[in-house]
């Protein structure tokens, strides 16, 4: 993919595009819904923020890895992103990496990178809720904040710069489907805020060793199948049986409240466990997770969201085969 660089001296930040609404284009400037995501490459996103070119101390490179609507995100793209992120962050002149992404599955990709890479330099995701063609697009300011964060001395780990806030990638939850204030960090709170082009930090940087060494991850086609289903009034155990029949090696149930699971699903989950399938229960609530454990219930995914619990279970199952 093409890459651009100026002839300025100084530290480098690489902007890697993967698609999303931040790269979305609509026919009309007042259309926030009927646009196509992932139409613009990373160079166009960087060019739309003149303040980046004006930073005399910073070389900003742009590179397009994918142009996806992130609802179509897949494990192969995650592995390509992981490999590219490792290579970029290993360059001594690179201060940090910015990844532009769709908001819909941002919490999943950020969590995966957090658990598979846990970089010592900043890897900053950013995104937008309004397409690049909108009257008041949120992408350009988010991108500027993300580059500023990626070049902030001492910054490290997987972070998300969005709406003036800085989140740890591991804490991110999408809590609104339309509003610009779309993300929350749950009980963990934000790492900091971007104020007038500077970071005000309230919490330590994310600091956790990777779950699985990136080199140990098999090709996407060999990843164990792990699926998510939701507990709800009138839930049917046959759905779990169908997951198992379709090859699931792991199942995450997004339970009600503090991870409660309909008894029909519990019965079917016990059958699945007897067949060697690993089952975990998360919460379908947007905030919080599963607190504590009950001896009669399925294993808990703790404070992780159901999509995060799914990633953790995929990595656990991979690790168990190594
Ligand atoms: C996407 O996730 O790619 C589309 C939605 C968005 O970025 O807000």
């Amino acid at each position: 993919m093409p890459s651009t660089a100026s002839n300025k001296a100084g530290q480098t930040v690489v902007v890697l595009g993967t698609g999303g609404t931040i790269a979305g284009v609509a026919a009309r400037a007042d259309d926030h819904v009927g646009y196509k995501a992932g139409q613009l490459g990373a160079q166009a996103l960087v060019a739309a923020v003149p303040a980046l070119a004006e930073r005399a101390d910073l070389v900003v490179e742009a590179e397009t890895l994918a142009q996806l609507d992130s609802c179509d995100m897949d494990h192969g793209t995650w592995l390509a992103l992981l490999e590219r992120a490792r290579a970029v962050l290993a360059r001594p002149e690179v201060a940090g990496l910015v990844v532009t992404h769709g908001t819909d599955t941002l919490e999943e990709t950020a969590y995966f990178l957090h658990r598979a890479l846990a970089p010592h330099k900043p890897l900053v995701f950013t995104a937008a809720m309004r397409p690049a063609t909108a009257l008041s697009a949120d992408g350009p300011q988010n991108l500027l904040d993300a580059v500023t964060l990626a070049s902030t001395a001492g910054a490290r780990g997987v972070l998300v710069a969005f709406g003036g806030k800085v989140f740890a990638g591991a804490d991110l939850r999408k809590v609104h489907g339309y509003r610009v204030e779309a993300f929350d960090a749950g009980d963990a709170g934000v790492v900091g805020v971007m104020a007038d082009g500077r970071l005000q930090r309230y919490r330590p940087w994310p600091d956790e060793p990777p779950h699985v060494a990136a080199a140990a991850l098999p090709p996407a086609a060999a990843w164990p199948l792990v699926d998510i289903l939701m507990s709800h009034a009138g839930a049917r155990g046959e759905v779990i049986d169908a997951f198992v029949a379709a090859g699931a090696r792991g199942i995450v149930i997004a339970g009600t409240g503090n991870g409660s699971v309909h008894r029909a699903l519990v019965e079917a989950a016990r059958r699945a466990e007897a067949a060697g399938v690993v089952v975990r229960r998360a919460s379908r609530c947007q905030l919080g997770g599963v607190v504590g454990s009950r001896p009669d219930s399925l294993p808990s995914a703790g404070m992780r969201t159901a999509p995060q619990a799914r990633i953790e279970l995929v990595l656990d199952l991979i690790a168990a085969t190594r």
Side-chain angles (χ1 to χ4, degrees):
M1 293 286 180
S3 173
T4 50
S6 77
N7 56 5
K8 290 185 289 190
Q11 55 181 355
T12 296
V13 171
V14 177
V15 176
L16 198 55
T18 69
T21 295
I22 192 168
V25 173
R28 293 193 333 258
D30 61 349
D31 188 350
H32 291 172
V33 176
Y35 60 89
K36 260 182 98 80
Q39 299 302 293
L40 304 176
Q43 284 163 301
L45 302 187
V46 169
V49 187
L52 291 176
E54 288 160 16
R55 286 276 305 260
D57 58 328
L58 208 59
V59 176
V60 179
E61 295 181 10
E63 188 180 322
T64 303
L65 180 90
Q67 289 186 260
L68 284 172
D69 184 321
S70 83
C71 70
D72 296 325
M73 186 50 68
D74 56 80
H75 298 160
T77 304
W78 280 358
L79 287 175
L81 177 57
L82 177 63
E83 190 182 324
R84 196 67 202 115
R86 270 200 302 173
V88 167
L89 292 173
R91 289 168 50 193
E93 77 280 16
V94 169
L97 172 64
V98 169
V99 178
T100 58
H101 196 286
T103 61
D104 281 356
T105 54
L106 179 54
E107 68 191 77
E108 296 180 51
T109 305
Y111 191 81
F112 171 68
L113 266 289
H114 168 71
R115 297 299 276 137
L117 192 63
H120 295 296
K121 290 180 185 176
L123 190 170
V124 184
F125 282 91
T126 196
M129 287 300 284
R130 294 180 180 157
T133 46
L135 274 177
S136 54
D138 50 332
Q141 182 65 52
N142 287 346
L143 180 56
L144 181 60
D145 285 346
V147 172
T148 303
L149 180 60
S151 58
T152 296
R156 67 172 186 271
V158 174
L159 302 162
V160 179
F162 192 94
K165 295 176 181 162
V166 176
F167 303 88
D171 299 330
L172 195 74
R173 289 143 190 252
K174 187 169 182 184
V175 293
H176 204 284
Y178 179 74
R179 285 197 209 128
V180 168
E181 283 274 317
F183 288 103
D184 201 286
D187 294 339
V190 296
V191 171
V193 296
M194 300 303 297
D196 199 25
R198 300 177 79 85
L199 170 71
Q200 281 178 15
R201 185 157 62 93
Y202 304 134
R203 276 181 47 198
W205 301 110
D207 200 6
E208 204 180 330
H211 179 293
V212 176
L217 288 171
W223 283 23
L225 300 176
V226 178
D227 298 297
I228 301 174
L229 66 89
M230 190 183 277
S231 185
H232 55 86
R236 293 180 306 129
E238 290 88 332
V239 177
I240 290 193
D241 299 334
F243 277 23
V244 175
R249 300 236 344 261
I251 296 174
V252 174
I253 303 175
T256 47
N258 189 35
S260 299
V261 177
H262 192 292
R263 62 179 171 223
L265 296 181
V266 174
E267 276 168 29
R270 295 295 186 208
R271 286 196 294 277
E273 286 180 324
V277 176
V278 182
V279 181
R280 299 219 175 123
R281 63 188 171 93
S283 171
R284 70 181 204 184
C285 297
Q286 285 179 339
L287 300 177
V290 179
V291 178
S293 64
R294 297 200 320 243
D296 58 335
S297 59
L298 299 162
S300 160
M303 300 311 286
R304 298 184 185 101
T305 65
Q308 291 172 343
R310 193 192 78 83
I311 294 166
E312 201 67 31
L313 186 45
V314 168
L315 296 177
D316 281 352
L317 292 169
I318 289 173
T321 61
R322 300 270 131 184

